[in-house]
Amino acid sequence: MTLRPLLDGALTVAAGRAGAPGGLRYTERQLYYELCRVLQPLHAGPRRVPYTLAPPVRYARFAAALAARRDGLPGLLPPAAPRPAGPRAAVAEEPDLYDYGLPRLLVCQSREITAMLIANDLHLEAACPILPADELPLDERLVGALERAGGAVVHVLHDASPAGLACFEQVGAAYGPTGAGPTGVRVRSMGLVPRHAGTLHLTSGRGPHGHRGPLPAGLRPEERAWLGSGRTVELAAVAPARLLHTVIRQLRGGGTAGPRRAPLHRRVRTVRGSGFLSWPAG
């Protein structure tokens, strides 16, 4: 059996899993990592033994197999629109938003993950605007809404990678209590860290250089070494339903989802919250 028929069959299975339960929308990279789990189901090993996995198939081979199937995968999102040219302050589309206090805001490192969360109505579920990091700085009206809320939190959703750490550091420097941002606003990481990537047995990659800047104080020595070696794990490696469930759980303060549908919770009500999207406290 050649590789192409194998990939075609695995792609069908992966698309079904990525959209479950209830027809979730997912990105191309999320589908790739789901394909990796289909081809290499070692992610199902015991969580008490942490490890990450090398990808069983190159992205280029996946992309070639996907090219002929894209129109037949209704849950697959189109590529995210590129960042608008020139300077632009990130601004929410709802103009009346600025008349009220805004208790929380989610900034995503990835434009694709931003689009995926919005496509699955997470911004409505959590009553939280979602913006890509490459469209910062924030619009002054949005900054004012954060200040009016009192104790507002800017969450930063990022990869376990040097670029992800840099994204969190940049947002913190601009809008955290030590920066020149709005008064009374906290910046909180909702990012992936190596220990969680190991527990979830996610597929990892390796960049040309490791992280050279300061690291969060709560990281363990082995996590520091992992990041220093150039290892990376993308948020897209997390299964779509798990990512959605955990992000909304964190935005709502760690509570569990209620039984109602509105509409995201019913689609992910069977998914157990992993609780991984926050930096460890110590």
Side-chain angles (χ1 to χ4, degrees), residues 3 7 11 26-36 39 54-67 70 76-80 110 112 203-205 234 236-237:
L3 181 59
L7 284 180
L11 191 59
Y26 52 86
T27 71
E28 183 175 310
R29 293 199 71 81
Q30 286 178 314
L31 180 59
Y32 167 66
Y33 287 114
E34 197 63 60
L35 177 71
C36 290
L39 294 174
V57 62
R58 291 183 301 166
Y59 196 87
R61 286 188 178 274
F62 157 77
L66 178 63
R70 181 177 292 274
L76 181 62
L77 291 166
S110 165
E112 287 75 19
T203 301
S204 67
E234 295 182 82

Side-chain angles (χ1 to χ4, degrees), residues 178-189:
T178 59
T183 58
V185 174
R186 293 168 293 158
V187 176
R188 180 174 297 168
S189 171

Side-chain angles (χ1 to χ4, degrees), residues 121-216:
D121 299 329
L122 187 135
H123 60 306
L124 301 177
E125 286 285 325
C128 177
I130 305 174
L131 301 170
D134 64 4
E135 292 195 14
L136 297 178
L138 297 174
D139 184 274
E140 291 183 1
R141 295 170 296 170
L142 195 56
V143 172
L146 290 169
E147 288 183 317
R148 283 192 293 276
V153 179
V154 176
H155 298 274
V156 185
L157 185 60
H158 60 83
D159 302 338
S161 69
L165 291 171
C167 177
F168 172 59
E169 292 164 3
Q170 290 165 4
V171 176
Y175 300 104
T178 59
T183 58
V185 174
R186 293 168 293 158
V187 176
R188 180 174 297 168
S189 171
M190 199 188 283
L192 197 60
V193 294
R195 76 178 72 167
H196 302 133
T199 299
L200 295 174
H201 305 150
L202 300 179
T203 301
S204 67
R206 188 181 294 275
H209 303 291
H211 185 74
R212 299 290 182 249
L215 293 170

Side-chain angles (χ1 to χ4, degrees), residues 45-51 198-199 201:
R47 293 192 177 183
R48 64 179 179 274
V49 182
Y51 56 83
T199 299
H201 305 150

